Amino acid sequence: MHRSDYLIRKISFAILTLLVVIVFNFFLFRILPGDPIKLIIHSPRMTAEAQERIRVNFGLDKPVWFNLEALETGDIKGAFDTQFTAYVRNLFKGDLGVSFSTRQDVSELLKERVWRTVVLILIGEVLAIVLGITLGLLAAWRRGSPLDTGILLWGLFTWAMPTFFFGIILLILVRGRLPVGGMVTPGLKPEDGWAYWQDVGRHLVLPTITMALLYMSEYTLIMRSSVVEVLSEDFILTAKAKGMNAFQIFRDHALKNAMLPMVTIIALTLGYTVGGAIQVETVFSWPGIGRLMFEAVQKRDYPVLQGTFLLLAVSVIIANLLADLLYVALDPRVKPD
């Protein structure tokens, strides 16, 4: 396959996936039971007229998908004046709507929270990738040894453990030694300089360890399996016949070929990492995107749910696209033009 054909196909598929996500994103949260207006209204004495005005202000008085009554009267424009068309129109303008519960712009809420989740996921993923690849290489290098057996057992044990359960265990073990909730100690502000960021770092320890240890196991198992499979190939036997030592074979032949499935699994795991981040942020009360989504589900806050889901979905699509593009550099079967 030529490089240009490969890139065009992957980019086209990413764009198509994004369009499907946009449509799915709108309907996913509207099938949830419950009326969001009932959660917005805190006063039981509010009149029906006042409730209707709130519906109009949030656009919830319009049909969800299509206005059949307007179409029957010949009003084509009115037939498409729905919640879905308003959602798509605002989305292409960069307007994610207004939160039902806080009355804040969703884009501002996301801007405030997104960097916190990025820091959590980035540190946790980097640790998981580095530790996972290192342990996987060690296990493959010492295949059949007690070290290999110990790494496999540890990997299987942590892989099978639920994220929230592992987080709760850490909470119990380190209670009183490290912060177990929130992002910063109350009273500290960014203006406090080093003391503030040092405190944020202490609050990050448990969430990042939880994510790193759980996702490291998958990378360890995949890396070991991939290296062992590559070492059984004929070109490895040829390299040995040429007189190359074990380290050269590992570095020049096994590692690069074994990284192909690792690139794929890292990109695919990003989706699970985001899901795990929601659980980790909930357990440790980390005020990020995952915590925001959890609170929005409880309040049936459609705009916030749509904004967070779209942001996370786009992140996964971009990560998978980058993984596909990395194949161009790693896979010799993708030929240059």
Side-chain angles (χ1 to χ4, degrees):
M1 179 183 294
H2 288 290
R3 191 169 294 176
S4 59
D5 296 334
Y6 179 84
L7 294 178
I8 291 172
R9 190 179 71 173
K10 293 300 180 182
I11 293 174
S12 300
F13 184 75
I15 294 173
L16 178 61
T17 304
L18 179 59
L19 294 176
V20 173
V21 165
I22 288 174
V23 177
F24 181 72
N25 185 33
F26 174 79
F27 289 103
L28 175 64
F29 302 109
R30 280 168 172 74
I31 63 176
L32 293 173
D35 184 358
I37 295 298
K38 301 296 184 182
L39 296 174
I40 295 172
I41 299 168
H42 300 289
S43 174
R45 299 180 180 179
M46 184 173 289
T47 63
E49 292 77 10
Q51 294 183 29
E52 186 60 28
R53 283 197 299 270
I54 293 176
R55 289 185 183 277
V56 173
N57 289 338
F58 286 109
L60 296 174
D61 60 315
K62 299 178 181 179
V64 174
W65 171 253
F66 198 73
N67 192 339
L68 291 176
E69 294 180 359
L71 184 63
E72 291 173 356
T73 60
D75 184 5
I76 303 298
K77 183 178 179 180
F80 289 96
D81 184 18
T82 61
Q83 294 182 40
F84 177 72
T85 54
Y87 159 73
V88 174
R89 183 171 60 251
N90 292 334
L91 187 61
F92 280 98
K93 292 179 182 178
D95 182 6
L96 297 177
V98 177
S99 169
F100 290 167
S101 57
T102 65
R103 310 298 196 273
Q104 290 180 268
D105 288 338
V106 174
S107 56
E108 292 299 321
L109 284 173
L110 294 179
K111 190 184 301 183
E112 180 185 345
R113 300 281 192 115
V114 69
W115 71 270
R116 301 168 183 171
T117 298
V118 169
V119 169
L120 176 62
I121 291 179
L122 185 62
I123 297 176
E125 270 291 289
V126 169
L127 284 174
I129 292 169
V130 172
L131 293 174
I133 290 177
T134 302
L135 290 177
L137 288 173
L138 285 174
W141 179 272
R142 305 286 295 175
R143 181 176 45 171
S145 68
L147 176 63
D148 178 29
T149 303
I151 291 175
L152 281 176
L153 289 175
W154 171 254
L156 291 171
F157 173 74
T158 54
W159 191 28
M161 187 174 293
T163 305
F164 69 91
F165 183 68
F166 191 67
I168 293 172
I169 290 177
L170 284 181
L171 284 175
I172 296 172
L173 291 177
V174 302
R175 181 181 299 173
R177 300 182 184 90
L178 286 170
V180 295
M183 189 185 78
V184 67
T185 301
L188 285 176
K189 299 178 181 179
E191 293 79 11
D192 295 324
W194 173 245
Y196 174 84
W197 294 109
Q198 188 179 28
D199 191 67
V200 171
R202 293 181 71 246
H203 282 78
L204 262 173
V205 171
L206 290 181
T208 51
I209 287 178
T210 301
M211 295 193 67
L213 289 181
L214 289 174
Y215 294 106
M216 173 196 72
S217 58
E218 185 172 7
Y219 299 146
T220 299
L221 297 174
I222 295 296
M223 192 65 189
R224 179 193 179 279
S225 176
S226 182
V227 172
V228 169
E229 183 178 355
V230 169
L231 289 175
S232 65
E233 297 289 342
D234 292 337
F235 66 85
I236 298 295
L237 184 62
T238 303
K240 290 179 180 178
K242 291 180 178 180
M244 297 180 68
N245 60 45
F247 179 75
Q248 289 177 316
I249 293 173
F250 231 75
R251 181 192 63 194
D252 300 335
H253 296 282
L255 183 59
K256 184 175 181 179
N257 287 279
M259 283 303 295
L260 284 173
M262 280 300 298
V263 170
T264 303
I265 200 65
I266 288 171
L268 293 176
T269 304
L270 180 62
Y272 297 107
T273 305
V274 170
I278 296 174
Q279 297 183 49
V280 170
E281 289 182 5
T282 302
V283 171
F284 294 101
S285 300
W286 182 261
I289 293 293
R291 181 73 181 178
L292 180 65
M293 179 179 284
F294 176 76
E295 294 169 352
V297 168
Q298 294 178 315
K299 299 174 182 176
R300 306 293 189 273
D301 199 335
Y302 294 160
V304 174
L305 287 171
Q306 289 172 178
T308 53
F309 182 84
L310 182 63
L311 178 64
L312 298 179
V314 169
S315 301
V316 174
I317 291 172
I318 292 175
N320 281 276
L321 179 60
L322 290 176
D324 290 333
L325 298 181
L326 278 175
Y327 261 69
V328 175
L330 295 175
D331 195 340
R333 293 170 294 183
V334 181
K335 303 176 182 178
D337 296 329

